Amino acid sequence: MFKKRQPHLVIIGNGVAGVTTARHVRRRSDMNITIISAESRYHFSRTALMYIYMGHMRFEDTKPYPDWFWRQNRIDLVHGFVTEIDTDNKCVRLQDGREIAYDKLVIATGSKPNKFGWPGQDLPGVQGLYSLQDLQRLEEYTPHIRHAVIVGGGLIGIELAEMLMSRDIPVTFLVRERYFYDIILPQEEARLISRHILEHGVDLRLSTELKEILPGTDGRVRAVVTSHGEEIACQFVGLTVGVHPNIEVVKNTPIETNRGVLVNEYLETNIPDVYACGDCAEIRAKEPGGRNRIEQLWYTARMQGEALGRILCGEHVAYDRGIWFNSAKFFDLEYQTYGQVSPQPGDDEDSFYWEHPDRKHALRIAYRKPGMQVIGFNAIGIRLRHRVCERWIREGRTLDDVIQRLPEANFDPEFYQRFEAEVARQYAESRHAVAESAVA
Amino acid sequence: MQLLQIQPLPDYLRDQYADLQVDELPEYRELTGVKKVGLGLLGIGSLLLLIALTGFTSEHPWLWFFLTFGLTSIGGLMYILAQLKESPPGIKNNHNFTRSLTARGAAGWLIGVVFTAFYIILYWFPSVFQNWIQMVDPVSRLLRGDPADHWFLYGTFYTFAMLIMGVRMFVRYRHNRYQLIRTASVMFFQLGFAYLIPAFLRLMNQPEFYFSYFWPLKYHYLFPNDVRWLMSQPGGLGVFMVFWGAMLTFVATPVLTYFYGKRWYCSWVCGCGGLAETLGDPWRHLSSKSRLSWKVERNLIYSVLGFIIITTAALWINSATEGRVLGNLSQTFARAYGFFIGAIFSGVIGVGFYPLLGNRVWCRFGCPQAAILGILQKHFSRFRITTNGAQCISCGNCSTYCEMGIDVRMYAQEQQNIIRASCVGCGICAAVCPRGVLKLENGPVDGRY
Ligand SMILES: Cc1cc2nc3c(=O)[nH]c(=O)nc-3n(C[C@H](O)[C@H](O)[C@H](O)COP(=O)(O)OP(=O)(O)OC[C@H]3O[C@@H](n4cnc5c(N)ncnc54)[C@H](O)[C@@H]3O)c2cc1C
Ligand code: SF4
């Protein structure tokens, strides 16, 4: 008897989205699996790039799976760059001329750093931070420089600041917003973190934008000019103003794109047997007139990969990212968020905020006004249990209830100072004040 | 770290900076001067230590003691404490893989050779240290009422190293109470239970007994000779010592491990663990995480455990039968164990190779105590490291900084609890995790896996 020929699953991109898809397919099926990727032979953790530069880890330490894992799980790795997808003949072509046929194709090509057409943005010494190659260029450009400028107050910008500071390179950080990250964080948290950044010795220029980048006589970057007309001398400029889906390879194919590769909630493109997931995917709004979603996080890429793995094995379950969560670290401050905490809450939302006088610990609990059902948490310098917060939000617990049960959500290491009592005290006082003003 | 002075502060920033109360910020700056003086003193102290090896110390032992131990300690502390003013509290792992000392560079090898040479001389050519022994002689007379020998010298070095490098841990982990308390604990047990109390016992003409060690790490505490000798001591203290040792081995070990995991001993009490967690901390990331190492680890550590169990049993059979069954064989076993395991493995390789193989080589591959505690931890314990939902970003810090070579990330990214026989519960994975994913916990045994 002949064994049934297994279909061939080809995945472009070995980022977390691509490899998670592969792993979840392998758990459920004997399909042949090939991952093609250009950046590195083996999957590594993009989130750990900063630690390589700072010397906390070597590149090999950032590989989430040891090299034998792929062979053992019969996942073939092809190190190469896909230049063409031929959906008629169901094959992909690589830069080196190889042609690989597929039965099912997954596009998981990730993102590319944004550039907004600034004069001088392509000068040597000006770059973003996304790929391993970016890290190599950073290694080339940053030794012996006297000053660096980073543009863009997001999560990668602050990581880049920390990286450069670890090598004693003074950093000027241009942030468009009034306070760092206040497009995502409410004012109090944004201020707390801005202050922390200053404490770390960063020259933080709030409400400041980049105007242009000036070349020196050697053709490399010499200075930047800000929106305040100031010229700041520097030998390196980090552009960290967000990312956009990397869909180069999909252009000139019948696969529909908008900003990203358009997919439905089953991560299917308009072409049969072609799927997309991770940073490069743009998920169509379910309801007409709704907004399409592009999710550019490690977590969402992983969850999409898992969902797609199931879908490819015949489970008809839509991708559902569940209750929102994210986390980051701003120098020494850990930040976790669960559910929905708006920087500018609407009329039906409000929140309770507590901050320790040391300004290194803070907690915000957002709720919907009428019934005071908790909808989100922001924790800074305090670790909260993901599953507990998620459950509370899902169950629609009231603020009263959550404040009382707060110790259940604590995930700090043993012996850490606990703040629940202080939080509860402040909460009781604020309730009291509300009650009094109601009486008055 | 370097604080950038923006001079003058541009007008457009005034409001926002005032809002942030920037003028109240603590200031951090490089204390290069203090550190250089510290390093200088450390260097001079070390040089004098070398010179002391060649003579002079018998004339003015106290003076030499202060010039060597004193200067190196003061220098080391200056260097360490300066860091308090240099940067805010937080994880300090910058350059670990690029600095020669901590990345198996020339400096790392040099320290490795020095450590290894020290152990070889200590075990097999102690007379080389004669002048150092002279130097600590007055200390020994003061504490123990007896002249110093090379073991007292070793204990003194050991204790100093742990105390100074313990202070380094305090500075390094000043934001982390688990680390502060745990470090204080190992320092306390070393200074009290492994240095001062045994010395004091000797001063009182009692057996020099280490209450913080027991069988099988201190294997001869359950050997027939030691037991009989202790039991025969006048005053009853010897009997208590035998009882204490047996109690730790047979009662405290299972009970405490059930409640807290093996960490109650390995990273809170044990002197070997204590040295690894203080002196050895700069090299924790060098432990191998490969699958092969894990295999070697399991084979080796349980072999050593088997070796010491057989040796102990043989000695007792021998003693019960007065040598008729095994003849000299049991003594040969005991001597072989002492040589290969006690000296070569735990000393020369265990500590000598810190800068090359990481700080827990002995604990991971050799220690029979760790083997027993590990079996209990894996099968009969409330201890586990839990992972926080889906927050792991697979960065690898936890695995990299695991001194026992556990691939913590492998579990964390799958959202599984980490329950491994080798985990000593040092808590560093939880400390270095940038996303707050890991927590050491004791909880119900059901549903632990
Ligand atoms: C410095 C940094 C820090 C971050 N930190 C966090 C964090 O803390 N938390 C978080 O949630 N998110 C973080 N992110 C975002 C997160 O890393 C991304 O969302 C995630 O990696 C996206 O995964 P992906 O698999 O979709 O794409 P990618 O990881 O980008 O993988 C796509 C791969 O496809 C390859 N590829 C593309 N085109 C081709 C082609 N034509 N042929 C062959 N190969 C191709 C690319 O080279 C790349 O290797 C961070 C990102 C960066 C850059
Ligand atoms: S350090 Fe934390 S985030 Fe990084 S791999 Fe380990 S558990 Fe995951």
Side-chain angles (χ1 to χ4, degrees):
Chain A
M1 282 297 290
F2 289 107
K3 239 173 122 184
K4 193 175 126 240
R5 192 189 83 90
Q6 288 291 343
H8 188 197
L9 168 67
V10 171
I11 300 169
I12 310 178
N14 71 354
V16 61
V19 304
T20 309
T21 307
R23 282 177 42 244
H24 280 272
V25 168
R26 178 52 78 236
R27 271 190 207 176
R28 295 174 179 78
S29 131
D30 256 348
M31 234 181 266
N32 295 317
I33 305 175
T34 304
I35 304 180
I36 311 173
S37 203
E39 187 177 359
S40 60
R41 171 168 296 279
Y42 293 105
H43 168 56
F44 73 97
S45 180
R46 196 170 297 296
T47 53
L49 280 176
M50 66 182 295
Y51 300 110
I52 303 176
Y53 185 83
M54 298 198 299
H56 294 208
M57 287 188 269
R58 298 157 299 185
F59 170 69
E60 54 266 39
D61 302 316
T62 68
K63 289 190 222 161
Y65 304 93
D67 294 351
W68 51 259
F69 176 90
W70 307 104
R71 220 172 317 114
Q72 193 175 61
N73 286 284
R74 287 172 295 115
I75 296 171
D76 292 332
L77 304 180
V78 173
H79 193 183
F81 187 78
V82 177
T83 47
E84 201 187 331
I85 300 173
D86 182 342
T87 50
D88 295 335
N89 296 308
K90 289 188 112 173
C91 71
V92 298
R93 294 196 187 88
L94 272 58
Q95 200 159 37
D96 57 18
R98 274 182 286 179
E99 195 176 285
I100 297 174
Y102 67 80
D103 296 302
K104 288 170 192 284
L105 179 69
V106 172
I107 300 160
T109 47
S111 299
K112 285 192 144 178
N114 288 336
K115 287 183 176 184
F116 291 131
W118 291 291
Q121 67 180 16
D122 295 317
L123 288 172
V126 182
Q127 66 165 94
L129 175 67
Y130 189 82
S131 64
L132 215 49
Q133 286 71 30
D134 290 335
L135 190 70
Q136 276 158 7
R137 284 197 289 153
L138 196 63
E139 287 287 1
E140 280 163 35
Y141 282 125
T142 52
H144 314 299
I145 65 173
R146 294 181 307 283
H147 199 100
V149 170
I150 296 170
V151 184
L155 299 180
I156 299 184
I158 190 158
E159 287 188 2
L160 188 53
E162 185 174 353
M163 289 160 72
L164 295 168
M165 298 290 292
S166 79
R167 298 205 183 168
D168 288 332
I169 299 165
V171 171
T172 295
F173 192 11
L174 308 187
V175 171
R176 184 183 57 187
E177 288 73 38
R178 183 162 169 81
Y179 293 107
F180 173 78
Y181 210 42
D182 71 4
I183 34 168
I184 303 289
L185 294 175
Q187 283 291 302
E188 287 83 358
E189 287 95 313
R191 284 158 53 144
L192 186 151
I193 290 161
S194 301
R195 196 166 186 272
H196 187 72
I197 296 172
L198 285 166
E199 185 176 343
H200 274 266
V202 174
D203 171 19
L204 177 65
R205 305 291 177 107
L206 299 161
S207 313
T208 304
E209 288 177 64
L210 176 68
K211 269 270 127 44
E212 70 175 302
I213 306 170
L214 306 174
T217 44
D218 58 357
R220 289 177 55 161
V221 50
R222 167 177 71 78
V224 299
V225 180
T226 73
S227 52
H228 299 286
E230 257 183 302
E231 190 177 308
I232 300 171
C234 60
Q235 298 78 42
F236 176 85
V237 178
L239 298 178
T240 56
V241 285
V243 295
H244 62 272
N246 175 9
I247 53 171
E248 225 75 5
V249 66
V250 191
K251 300 230 168 101
N252 311 320
T253 69
I255 303 166
E256 259 187 87
T257 60
N258 178 35
R259 282 192 295 147
V261 181
L262 283 165
V263 293
N264 61 14
E265 58 193 315
Y266 297 98
L267 306 171
E268 299 162 324
T269 65
N270 61 314
I271 304 291
D273 292 329
V274 180
Y275 304 78
C277 66
D279 274 23
C280 68
E282 177 171 344
I283 303 172
R284 292 176 204 264
K286 258 197 264 178
E287 65 287 359
R291 276 180 56 183
N292 287 0
R293 261 174 22 226
I294 303 181
E295 300 174 335
Q296 296 162 321
L297 288 181
W298 180 265
Y299 305 119
T300 48
R302 193 180 59 202
M303 290 189 288
Q304 289 183 21
E306 175 169 353
L308 184 50
R310 292 167 184 276
I311 290 164
L312 286 166
C313 294
E315 289 179 36
H316 197 65
V317 274
Y319 163 66
D320 170 15
R321 74 172 183 204
I323 288 170
W324 179 254
F325 68 97
N326 196 13
S327 61
K329 194 170 179 186
F330 308 105
F331 284 94
D332 299 313
L333 279 185
E334 286 176 24
Y335 155 71
Q336 294 180 333
T337 182
Y338 300 103
Q340 178 192 333
V341 182
S342 325
Q344 263 107 31
D347 287 341
D348 60 336
E349 283 170 35
D350 207 342
S351 68
F352 166 79
Y353 180 73
W354 169 86
E355 185 178 305
H356 192 272
D358 72 2
R359 292 180 169 128
K360 301 290 176 205
H361 305 86
L363 180 69
R364 182 184 297 277
I365 309 177
Y367 56 89
R368 212 174 296 291
K369 257 184 199 161
M372 297 190 81
Q373 271 94 17
V374 166
I375 52 172
F377 297 82
N378 270 354
I380 293 176
I382 301 174
R383 296 176 174 179
L384 294 181
R385 281 180 202 269
H386 184 175
R387 296 305 175 210
V388 173
C389 293
E390 190 181 64
R391 181 162 46 82
W392 285 346
I393 294 168
R394 199 178 331 106
E395 293 171 354
R397 297 286 182 113
T398 61
L399 183 59
D400 273 337
D401 194 23
V402 164
I403 298 266
Q404 244 176 43
R405 291 166 187 271
L406 213 46
E408 286 173 39
N410 185 288
F411 199 71
D412 274 335
E414 294 154 300
F415 306 117
Y416 266 44
Q417 197 184 346
R418 300 287 289 262
F419 304 107
E420 289 97 1
E422 271 174 62
V423 171
R425 198 174 321 119
Q426 186 188 318
Y427 176 66
E429 275 163 23
S430 69
R431 294 285 286 173
H432 194 68
V434 170
E436 288 206 330
S437 70
V439 171
Chain B
M1 205 185 88
Q2 204 166 336
L3 188 71
L4 203 68
Q5 299 292 342
I6 324 169
Q7 292 292 358
L9 188 65
D11 276 341
Y12 65 90
L13 282 176
R14 285 237 163 92
D15 279 1
Q16 277 141 294
Y17 272 42
D19 247 13
L20 298 175
Q21 287 159 304
V22 169
D23 40 343
E24 287 170 27
L25 277 175
E27 261 194 59
Y28 297 96
R29 63 199 166 84
E30 215 77 61
L31 291 181
T32 333
V34 182
K35 281 169 107 174
K36 275 189 181 155
V37 173
L39 279 182
L41 291 178
L42 189 70
I44 294 170
S46 309
L47 198 68
L48 288 171
L49 206 54
L50 268 185
I51 294 171
L53 215 46
T54 63
F56 315 110
T57 53
S58 53
E59 299 283 304
H60 304 286
W62 274 118
L63 177 70
W64 280 93
F65 181 72
F66 282 118
L67 284 178
T68 54
F69 280 81
L71 284 187
T72 47
S73 301
I74 293 169
L77 286 175
M78 277 177 81
Y79 187 84
I80 289 164
L81 291 172
Q83 293 166 18
L84 283 173
K85 293 269 160 230
E86 291 196 324
S87 63
I91 293 301
K92 311 277 180 233
N93 283 335
N94 288 350
H95 316 307
N96 275 351
F97 276 105
T98 48
R99 207 193 291 120
S100 172
L101 183 66
T102 52
R104 295 195 190 106
W109 276 89
L110 182 73
I111 299 280
V113 169
V114 170
F115 282 1
T116 308
F118 175 82
Y119 274 92
I120 291 175
I121 297 173
L122 179 76
Y123 284 123
W124 294 290
F125 314 98
S127 61
V128 174
F129 289 154
Q130 197 45 48
N131 291 303
W132 282 358
I133 296 170
Q134 292 280 329
M135 188 170 75
V136 294
D137 192 60
V139 184
S140 175
R141 286 177 196 277
L142 186 75
L143 295 177
R144 319 194 293 171
D146 272 335
D149 56 10
H150 62 288
W151 294 121
F152 180 78
L153 172 76
Y154 177 46
T156 308
F157 270 127
Y158 202 107
T159 307
F160 264 82
M162 260 183 72
L163 295 181
I164 306 291
M165 291 300 277
V167 173
R168 173 182 170 277
M169 287 296 281
F170 287 154
V171 171
R172 193 177 172 77
Y173 286 107
R174 56 191 184 273
H175 60 289
N176 186 319
R177 281 217 198 155
Y178 183 77
Q179 297 307 326
L180 293 177
I181 297 174
R182 191 177 64 79
T183 305
S185 170
V186 288
M187 289 163 76
F188 168 78
F189 279 103
Q190 174 60 32
L191 181 64
F193 284 61
Y195 192 66
L196 294 180
I197 292 176
F200 181 71
L201 286 169
R202 191 147 157 177
L203 190 69
M204 298 287 110
N205 281 321
Q206 293 290 338
E208 191 177 324
F209 192 84
Y210 295 78
F211 287 98
S212 55
Y213 289 105
F214 45 98
W215 187 92
L217 180 54
K218 202 83 175 163
Y219 44 92
H220 49 84
Y221 278 9
L222 279 190
F223 281 1
N225 279 351
D226 276 46
V227 170
R228 226 172 273 129
W229 181 74
L230 282 174
M231 300 286 268
S232 69
Q233 293 297 305
L237 195 55
V239 177
F240 174 72
M241 287 166 178
V242 172
F243 165 77
W244 176 259
M247 199 276 298
L248 283 179
T249 300
F250 297 113
V251 182
T253 296
V255 172
L256 290 176
T257 309
Y258 173 77
F259 283 107
Y260 307 111
K262 84 198 254 191
R263 55 182 171 155
W264 77 266
Y265 190 67
C266 294
S267 64
W268 282 73
V269 173
C270 177
C272 306
L275 191 72
E277 297 289 349
T278 50
L279 180 67
D281 178 74
W283 298 289
R284 58 169 51 248
H285 53 282
L286 299 180
S287 60
S288 163
K289 275 80 191 177
S290 73
R291 202 166 41 159
L292 180 68
S293 306
W294 189 10
K295 212 173 144 190
V296 172
E297 168 190 319
R298 279 173 301 181
N299 284 316
L300 218 51
I301 195 166
Y302 297 121
S303 308
V304 174
L305 178 62
F307 191 0
I308 191 61
I309 290 175
I310 290 170
T311 306
T312 311
L315 284 170
W316 280 101
I317 292 170
N318 202 35
S319 117
T321 60
E322 285 161 15
R324 266 166 304 187
V325 180
L326 295 167
N328 270 336
L329 192 67
S330 59
Q331 288 301 336
T332 315
F333 251 76
R335 232 169 288 127
Y337 186 87
F339 178 76
F340 286 111
I341 311 297
I344 296 191
F345 206 154
S346 76
V348 179
I349 299 176
V351 180
F353 290 12
Y354 272 2
L356 304 175
L357 299 178
N359 57 335
R360 283 274 193 179
V361 176
W362 159 247
C363 313
R364 180 182 177 192
F365 295 99
C367 177
Q369 190 83 65
I372 292 180
L373 290 161
I375 295 170
L376 291 170
Q377 167 159 286
K378 186 135 176 73
H379 301 289
F380 312 100
S381 174
R382 291 163 55 82
F383 173 73
R384 83 293 308 270
I385 302 177
T386 44
T387 55
N388 196 7
Q391 288 282 23
C392 175
I393 51 168
S394 300
C395 68
N397 275 296
C398 52
S399 298
T400 305
Y401 285 88
C402 177
E403 54 189 355
M404 297 304 279
I406 300 172
D407 191 355
V408 183
R409 167 176 53 193
M410 188 168 78
Y411 303 89
Q413 64 194 0
E414 296 297 323
Q415 305 180 29
Q416 293 164 354
N417 286 351
I418 297 125
I419 305 170
R420 281 276 291 270
S422 62
C423 173
V424 292
C426 68
I428 295 292
C429 57
V432 298
C433 173
R435 295 295 179 271
V437 177
L438 303 162
K439 179 168 162 66
L440 281 60
E441 288 189 88
N442 311 309
V445 176
D446 286 340
R448 194 166 67 118
Y449 279 95

